[in-house]
Amino acid sequence: MKCIVIFCSMIMCLNLWAASRDTQILKCLGEEERRLHLKKDTGPIYDLNQRLIAEMVQIPNVEINPADYQKICGGKKFSESWKLLEQSILKGRDLFIVSGKVGSMQKDMALGMVDDYVEATREILLTFISQIQALSPTPTCLKEEIPPLDNFFIEIKYLQEDVDMKTIFKGKDEKIFEELKNYPRAFEKCRARLKKNPKSPSTEAPKKS
């Protein structure tokens, strides 16, 4: 009988632990995952969604502040994952709030996990851009349609690791997020150009030095 009581207590603790991690942002990302699954969309946005779910589930007792949550998960739906990544880069730790119900030790631990995630946004964004580039109809399509992207990619890739993304983006034109988000439109323009001029420079193999 004693073993049964201990087992039930363990199950209850596990359920409480799981519930504490079932945050609003995870529910939001989960809804996007469901939509992508129904559309059988397994492209860069799906991979981004999966990565961010994996990141968010590791940070207990943390939510997105209400105003930014509305920007990410409310209104017109493009990609909650993309909007979360965008806001995470622009705002850093300020995007998140820690539950007031936790002690100081738990709060410090949660904020440390938030900092780890914010630091990871550099690699997450680079991976996303690389995946888009791999789908590009021509080698130079993104460079032609999103001119600032080339220098931006190099900058975030090679700047010292102790420079966070929020600092890198300070003072920059945030339209690059909008342009990256609309990469399918850029691909359409490149395909149309390719049909008109099959021998355009964007389709030529790079010259050997």
Side-chain angles (χ1 to χ4, degrees):
M1 181 69 179
K2 187 176 180 181
C3 291
I4 294 174
V5 171
I6 292 173
F7 177 75
C8 289
S9 298
M10 288 175 64
I11 293 296
M12 187 177 296
C13 288
L14 286 172
N15 287 337
L16 287 171
W17 175 84
S20 70
R21 297 192 170 221
D22 191 18
T23 59
Q24 286 296 107
I25 191 62
L26 274 174
K27 291 176 182 176
C28 172
L29 294 176
E31 176 60 26
E32 181 186 26
E33 180 186 34
R34 185 186 70 82
R35 291 200 317 270
L36 292 169
H37 180 72
L38 289 174
K39 292 192 297 183
K40 298 182 179 180
D41 184 346
T42 56
I45 291 292
Y46 178 80
D47 288 342
L48 178 62
N49 172 269
Q50 294 299 290
R51 173 65 186 272
L52 292 183
I53 287 175
E55 291 286 342
M56 291 297 105
V57 80
Q58 295 181 60
I59 311 176
N61 305 308
V62 167
E63 280 287 5
I64 306 296
N65 72 65
D68 289 312
Y69 178 85
Q70 192 60 31
K71 288 181 187 176
I72 294 166
C73 297
K76 186 177 179 181
K77 296 193 182 301
F78 160 66
S79 165
E80 291 85 343
S81 297
W82 174 251
K83 288 185 281 187
L84 172 59
L85 178 61
E86 177 184 351
Q87 293 304 311
S88 298
I89 289 170
L90 295 176
K91 297 199 170 184
R93 184 197 272 198
D94 295 338
L95 182 65
F96 300 89
I97 52 175
V98 181
S99 171
K101 297 178 181 179
V102 301
S104 59
M105 186 177 294
Q106 287 175 301
K107 182 176 181 178
D108 290 343
M109 186 180 298
L111 288 174
M113 291 178 177
V114 168
D115 289 339
D116 289 342
Y117 159 69
V118 170
E119 185 177 338
T121 57
R122 178 198 302 264
E123 178 264 325
I124 295 171
L125 180 60
L126 286 172
T127 298
F128 183 80
I129 296 172
S130 296
Q131 286 181 303
I132 293 173
Q133 181 63 51
L135 298 173
S136 179
T138 66
T140 59
C141 177
L142 287 182
K143 186 175 181 179
E144 292 167 356
E145 295 302 322
I146 313 176
L149 183 60
D150 200 35
N151 288 335
F152 170 72
F153 185 84
I154 292 170
E155 187 175 357
I156 61 174
K157 187 174 183 179
Y158 294 108
L159 274 178
Q160 293 180 357
E161 291 184 3
D162 57 353
V163 180
D164 62 27
M165 290 295 286
K166 185 177 178 181
T167 302
I168 293 172
F169 262 93
K170 190 174 182 180
K172 280 191 169 57
D173 189 349
E174 295 173 14
K175 287 181 181 177
I176 196 165
F177 283 114
E178 189 70 20
E179 292 170 335
L180 274 173
K181 180 183 80 172
N182 291 319
Y183 73 89
R185 189 184 304 167
F187 288 177
E188 288 176 10
K189 291 181 180 178
C190 290
R191 290 190 189 98
R193 193 159 55 244
L194 188 60
K195 286 180 180 179
K196 288 182 179 179
N197 185 13
K199 295 183 179 181
S200 63
S202 62
T203 64
E204 293 178 1
K207 295 179 181 179
K208 294 182 180 179
S209 57

